[in-house]
Amino acid sequence: WFVPICGESPDIIGLVPPGEVVIQGDGNRPALFLVADYFHRVSVRNITFRGVSEVLYRELPGRPLLMDFRNNRIEECGQGLDASYSSPNSVIAHNVITGNSGDGIDVTSSAALIESNEVCSNAGAGIAGSSANQCEMRSNHIHHNDGCGIAVGQFLNAHDNLVEHNGIHGLSWH
């Protein structure tokens, strides 16, 4: 199952303490399916995603999306968080992204601020993506991923991250 999201600016917020709202899947479907072609913003806070194929699936993945994704947990999913094509002023902060079958966070063509996340034990890279258009990564703990800690293309501003004990490299430019 998945949650279809319609409307221009949805807020998906767990109002109980973080981690107590769990979206559990069987690995075959995304948790959130953004169905509208006019989507420009989504806010997701205080939710645990477990066992879904992906957290966000977008009908039009190349369109910029303003993301506010904070205080969530993504674990044992097909892939971690797809933050690709996030527009400037997007924030991905204070999340735990662990034990996923792919990369922890995909920042392809992203301009997001990726801050204070723990990204660990993923089968791919901790944070990956090509052409991370002015993406800023700071104060993240990226460790024990099977691939690189950070594997990105150009235009990345990364500082004050702790990147350790990853399978291939700490930082890889491609």
Side-chain angles (χ1 to χ4, degrees), residues 98-166:
T98 185
N100 299 293
S101 298
D103 297 330
I105 303 175
D106 178 355
V107 294
T108 299
S109 296
S110 175
L113 169 62
I114 314 291
E115 179 178 41
S116 300
N117 298 288
E118 182 173 6
V119 184
C120 62
S121 304
N122 296 292
I127 299 176
S130 61
S131 184
N133 301 326
Q134 302 163 7
C135 184
E136 182 176 2
M137 293 180 209
R138 64 181 183 215
S139 303
N140 297 289
H141 188 194
I142 304 163
H143 61 97
H144 294 96
N145 296 288
D146 290 348
C148 299
I150 301 175
V152 295
Q154 55 192 352
F155 309 120
L156 174 69
N157 179 359
H159 53 93
D160 300 319
N161 296 289
L162 179 56
V163 182
E164 61 183 350
H165 308 294
N166 294 288

Side-chain angles (χ1 to χ4, degrees), residues 50-115:
R50 183 179 302 126
V52 296
S53 63
E54 55 193 308
V55 174
L56 290 176
Y57 175 82
R58 294 182 258 175
E59 267 186 327
L60 301 171
R63 296 189 64 178
L65 177 65
L66 178 59
M67 295 180 72
D68 182 10
F69 198 88
R70 302 177 202 227
N71 301 315
N72 299 291
R73 184 174 181 91
I74 301 172
E75 60 186 29
E76 301 168 15
C77 296
Q79 68 179 42
L81 178 61
D82 180 359
S84 63
Y85 299 97
S86 5
S87 60
N89 300 318
S90 291
V91 176
I92 291 99
H94 305 287
N95 301 291
V96 175
I97 301 172
T98 185
N100 299 293
S101 298
D103 297 330
I105 303 175
D106 178 355
V107 294
T108 299
S109 296
S110 175
L113 169 62
I114 314 291
E115 179 178 41

Side-chain angles (χ1 to χ4, degrees), residues 10 12 34 39-44 56 65-69:
I12 304 158
L34 305 183
F39 248 100
H40 66 275
R41 185 189 76 80
V42 64
S43 178
V44 180
L56 290 176
L65 177 65
L66 178 59
M67 295 180 72
D68 182 10
F69 198 88

